[in-house]
Amino acid sequence: QSALTQPASVSGSPGQSITISCTGTSNDVGSYNFVSWYQQHPGTAPKLMIYEVSKRPSGVSNRFSGSRSGNTASLTISGLQAEDEADYYCCSYAGSSTFVFGTGTKVTVL
Amino acid sequence: EVQLVESGGGLVQPGGSLRLSCTASGFIFSSYWMNWVRQAPGKGLEWVANINQDGSDKYYVDSVKGRFTISRDNSLYLQMNSLRAEDTAVYYCARVSHYHMDVWGQGTTVTVSS
């Protein structure tokens, strides 16, 4: 049950694209198509942005996309906007009905 | 409107107990697995426990096994015993839909301190 590894911070200018990585193991990210991503603004509850590696819930901008290669999942935000400044967490199903979150990434819009 | 509302947080001394509740509305609560997730001050999210639709299956993160108990009837609960300083956090309940958490409550704050 070790946390998935994410970079502590990622930054970009408005309009640019950024990618956040999420590295797990063959017991979680690498084994299941159940990686999700959550956005959290200060003082608020997390919000689902991506599920099942690359699917977007209704209402989430198509500027957000997800992918996975081996034990590493990624979240890409294209056309970065000021409102995207927030903390982002990946999460993977880890078997036996358990979940594991990533360490979190603070996204700063320069 | 689909909504989850947590309650029951507060200040408790080390070794003490607290029971959190999560009230659901706007969806068929009995059809979903439910998670508790916590976030210590300035830290990341941590999955704590979950329970299946009829309450017969329950799972916990290692650090709370034997101390916390998840349960449900028409609401979701988290009974927390033998509380430690490291249990200080905002506790969220979240609806589980196909292995992701699509609805979250606003959170309730638990502070363990003497």
Side-chain angles (χ1 to χ4, degrees):
Chain A
Q1 294 177 326
S2 296
L4 309 176
T5 300
Q6 297 180 230
S9 62
V10 174
S11 61
S13 299
Q16 286 186 329
S17 293
I18 61 169
T19 297
I20 303 168
S21 61
C22 168
T23 300
T25 70
S26 58
N27 295 320
D28 37 60
V29 174
S31 283
Y32 304 100
N33 291 325
F34 300 127
V35 175
S36 49
W37 289 89
Y38 302 87
Q39 177 192 63
Q40 187 180 35
H41 288 106
T44 68
K47 174 188 175 184
L48 177 68
M49 303 301 285
I50 295 289
Y51 66 99
E52 291 178 14
V53 176
S54 60
K55 297 180 180 179
R56 259 189 328 273
S58 174
V60 171
S61 171
N62 59 9
R63 299 185 297 103
F64 292 84
S65 61
S67 62
R68 182 190 60 189
S69 177
N71 297 336
T72 298
S74 298
L75 174 72
T76 297
I77 309 175
S78 58
L80 199 62
Q81 299 180 1
E83 68 212 48
D84 300 331
E85 187 162 292
D87 294 325
Y88 291 83
Y89 296 91
C90 61
C91 181
S92 176
Y93 180 66
S96 301
S97 300
T98 66
F99 292 83
V100 60
F101 280 95
T103 50
T105 298
K106 180 177 181 60
V107 168
T108 301
V109 180
L110 301 172
Chain B
E1 179 190 7
V2 174
Q3 194 172 12
L4 295 169
V5 178
E6 301 94 338
S7 59
L11 174 64
V12 60
Q13 292 187 337
S17 298
L18 212 55
R19 189 195 197 205
L20 307 183
S21 299
C22 170
T23 301
S25 60
F27 66 97
I28 302 174
F29 177 68
S30 60
S31 295
Y32 292 87
W33 279 74
M34 295 294 296
N35 276 352
W36 283 102
V37 175
R38 68 184 178 183
Q39 186 170 35
K43 302 298 184 182
L45 300 173
E46 179 183 36
W47 173 78
V48 174
N50 63 17
I51 188 169
N52 70 342
Q53 291 89 335
D54 66 4
S56 59
D57 290 333
K58 306 173 186 183
Y59 300 88
Y60 302 90
V61 69
D62 285 347
S63 59
V64 308
K65 284 179 181 176
R67 301 188 300 120
F68 289 12
T69 302
I70 189 172
S71 63
R72 67 189 297 168
D73 47 30
N74 293 322
S75 294
L76 177 70
Y77 306 101
L78 188 66
Q79 177 67 45
M80 303 186 295
N81 299 330
S82 302
L83 282 161
R84 306 166 180 167
E86 54 264 37
D87 296 318
T88 294
V90 176
Y91 285 75
Y92 297 98
C93 62
R95 188 176 81 172
V96 182
S97 177
H98 295 287
Y99 303 98
H100 57 272
M101 287 158 263
D102 64 342
V103 180
W104 294 68
Q106 86 287 351
T108 188
T109 300
V110 173
T111 303
V112 184
S113 174
S114 55

